[in-house]
Amino acid sequence: MGTSIPQGSFVQHIVWGSLELHHYLDALAVVRATAPDQPAILNRPHAAARAARFFVEKFPGRTLYAVKANPSPNLIRLLWDAGVTHYDVASIGETRLVRRLLPEATLCFMHPVKAPAAIVEAYRDHGVRTFSLDSIEELDKIRAATTEANGGVEPTDLILCVRLRVSSEFSELSLASKFGCDLADARDLLQAARQLADSLGICFHVGSQAMTPFAYVTALEKVRAAIVDAAVTVDIIDVGGGFPSIYPGMEPPPLEDFFALIDRTYESLPVSYSAELWCEPGRALSAEYNSIIVRVERRRGNELYINDGAYGALFDAAHVGWRFPVQVLRSAPTAAETAAFSFYGPTCDDMDHMAGPFELPADIAAGDYIEIGMLGAYGAAMKTAFNGFEANEVYQVADEPMASLYRGVHRDPRVSDNVVSLR
Ligand SMILES: *Cc1c(COP(=O)(O)O)cnc(C)c1O
């Protein structure tokens, strides 16, 4: 049997990390063996390790894992084992978590608005030297907090990354309005940060699930303008996250195309001869790590009431209409005919609704199990305990994720448009 564990906090994720998970071939084997009453999370370590090795080997610079996409300790450890040495943390909770798991990892605190006490603890207790910022106020805060953490002496070992606001027009999820310094203000901020920093970087985020490499080219041209205008020496260019995964209706070009265009544009920037190129993928490293098994508890027309939803692993399916790949889990083959379904989650809230459409066998009924794929990024990590629907089981499976950006070959291409076709 699997292990029932409440979800929704780092502490509980740490509990996960210490568990010996039961191994199965695939989702159907889990259903046959356990007929789970609660949603089951499936881990695919081989898929996450493959993604990590891909970035480590092919990205033309350094890869930082953006921990918020999925802070599962098992995942963080396996990324380390696959060669990812740097981690983008955004809170003191993430900082403590990764430091506890990986004493030798380099942690970069890349949230541009931090609590002073978080900066002090990160610098003093966890060896964090890299901080991002997008305002003079944050620069002053970092100066004061790290001076305090350094025993009253202003530190000389800071790596400061100025976050530039760039367009999210090429991405599915915008990150353009909350953070980032406008180009017009970048000169003053870069010059002021240069005074305090041992190494100065410029970072940005093009938005999540960027569907074309030109998102990065456009952003890097803005970086070029900022460097020229400020006339400062820049040591790090950090192109952030946004690298896509693959979902029904969202098939991005190969990641090699992203890397090639980023490399070419970066090489033409006026940066110091020893400058470094960084990236901070979250989604691209974690999406293939998890799927979930849900059970249909009721059918009403073409609406299926399932036991996970908007307050569970399906936040993006509910709130941004994301269509995840689905397949029914039955021992006997199903009649080929399919129909379009929407999902309701288990809570009593009307907003716990996933419009889909999700293509499933037309005869699907209460008691059927469904696997929902590609939930490793911002899926498993988002579960809450709302309405008492917090428990789930966790298993390890050995089969391939429903789609992959890292597999050169096709597997079992299905007719349904639930499943993305692979090059
Ligand atoms: C969320 C985030 C990331 C990861 O973004 P993905 O789109 O998941 O790759 C990277 N850097 C920062 C600063 C972030 O906030």
Side-chain angles (χ1 to χ4, degrees):
M1 289 300 294
T3 319
S4 274
I5 359 164
Q7 286 289 298
S9 78
F10 285 115
V11 176
Q12 287 149 355
H13 277 296
I14 287 166
V15 175
W16 271 30
S18 61
L19 291 171
E20 215 13 81
L21 297 178
H22 290 255
H23 294 210
Y24 289 92
L25 175 62
D26 57 14
L28 186 57
V30 172
V31 165
R32 283 202 185 116
T34 75
D37 282 324
Q38 288 148 352
I41 295 180
L42 306 184
N43 292 348
R44 287 181 177 79
H46 58 288
R50 179 172 55 196
R53 286 192 303 269
F54 185 95
F55 266 85
V56 168
E57 285 164 19
K58 299 199 174 177
F59 182 75
R62 190 184 292 293
T63 297
L64 288 65
Y65 174 55
V67 172
K68 79 167 187 286
N70 188 330
S72 157
N74 285 342
L75 174 60
I76 290 168
R77 282 198 207 93
L78 80 86
L79 294 177
W80 170 266
D81 290 341
V84 177
T85 55
H86 286 52
Y87 293 79
D88 161 2
V89 291
S91 62
I92 197 64
E94 288 180 358
T95 308
R96 291 173 188 155
L97 170 79
V98 183
R99 179 50 79 226
R100 198 156 37 218
L101 294 167
L102 306 175
E104 290 167 52
T106 301
L107 308 187
C108 303
F109 204 149
M110 302 307 277
H111 193 306
V113 183
K114 295 167 284 298
I119 302 171
V120 172
E121 182 182 329
Y123 185 93
R124 190 190 55 208
D125 301 341
H126 306 298
V128 177
R129 295 295 177 267
T130 306
F131 298 90
S132 81
L133 63 146
D134 64 0
S135 67
I136 292 284
E137 292 89 329
E138 188 74 8
L139 179 65
D140 292 340
K141 193 196 289 175
I142 292 169
R143 183 196 316 273
T146 55
T147 299
E148 181 190 330
N150 197 39
V153 183
E154 193 171 285
T156 56
D157 55 0
L158 289 176
I159 301 167
L160 298 182
C161 292
V162 170
R163 169 99 168 242
L164 209 57
R165 182 197 309 280
V166 300
S167 164
S168 274
E169 64 182 308
F170 299 109
S171 303
E172 295 293 324
L173 296 175
S174 172
L175 287 167
S177 48
K178 191 166 179 182
F179 298 132
C181 157
D182 285 320
L183 193 52
D185 305 319
R187 185 207 323 210
D188 288 351
L189 186 54
L190 283 167
Q191 290 175 348
R194 182 72 269 181
Q195 303 291 312
L196 177 61
D198 179 41
S199 282
L200 178 66
I202 299 182
C203 61
F204 56 79
H205 199 302
V206 298
S208 208
Q209 186 75 4
M211 291 301 289
T212 156
F214 291 105
Y216 295 88
V217 173
T218 310
L220 285 167
E221 289 308 329
K222 210 162 188 178
V223 168
R224 182 196 310 280
I227 297 173
V228 169
D229 188 36
V232 291
T233 304
V234 171
D235 309 296
I236 296 160
I237 302 293
D238 177 355
V239 299
F243 296 93
S245 186
I246 181 168
Y247 305 91
M250 285 191 267
E251 290 179 56
L255 285 174
E256 283 96 335
D257 293 5
F258 287 73
F259 295 175
L261 273 175
I262 288 170
D263 191 34
R264 195 185 312 158
T265 315
Y266 165 73
E267 287 295 338
S268 74
L269 293 179
V271 291
S272 77
Y273 74 96
S274 58
E276 292 181 24
L277 175 67
W278 293 7
C279 69
E280 306 167 352
R283 178 184 304 283
L285 291 183
S286 60
E288 298 179 20
Y289 181 58
N290 294 121
S291 62
I292 63 169
I293 298 171
V294 298
R295 190 170 63 190
V296 178
E297 305 294 10
R298 184 192 170 192
R299 173 172 177 174
R300 183 178 78 179
N302 279 10
E303 299 166 322
L304 302 180
Y305 293 67
I306 60 175
N307 59 354
D308 200 57
Y311 298 92
L314 297 173
F315 183 95
D316 283 343
H319 296 291
V320 283
W322 213 272
R323 290 180 60 224
F324 294 94
V326 295
Q327 62 175 335
V328 73
L329 300 169
R330 288 176 176 166
S331 297
T334 352
E337 203 189 329
T338 67
F341 292 89
S342 63
F343 294 156
Y344 276 114
T347 71
C348 303
D349 187 338
D350 264 5
M351 293 206 318
D352 197 355
H353 178 251
M354 284 65 61
F358 301 100
E359 290 287 328
L360 287 160
D363 64 350
I364 196 158
D368 270 322
Y369 287 95
I370 300 168
E371 181 178 16
I372 307 178
M374 312 303 284
L375 282 169
Y378 310 106
M382 308 275 283
K383 288 177 82 67
T384 75
F386 179 51
N387 230 171
F389 295 100
E390 61 191 312
N392 53 252
E393 331 250 329
V394 185
Y395 301 97
Q396 183 168 319
V397 290
D399 67 338
E400 285 297 332
M402 284 180 174
S404 178
L405 273 190
Y406 305 101
R407 236 175 341 134
V409 292
H410 298 232
R411 182 192 74 120
D412 180 34
R414 280 163 256 215
V415 214
S416 157
D417 83 331
N418 286 333
V419 178
V420 284
S421 61
L422 297 170
R423 262 161 295 278

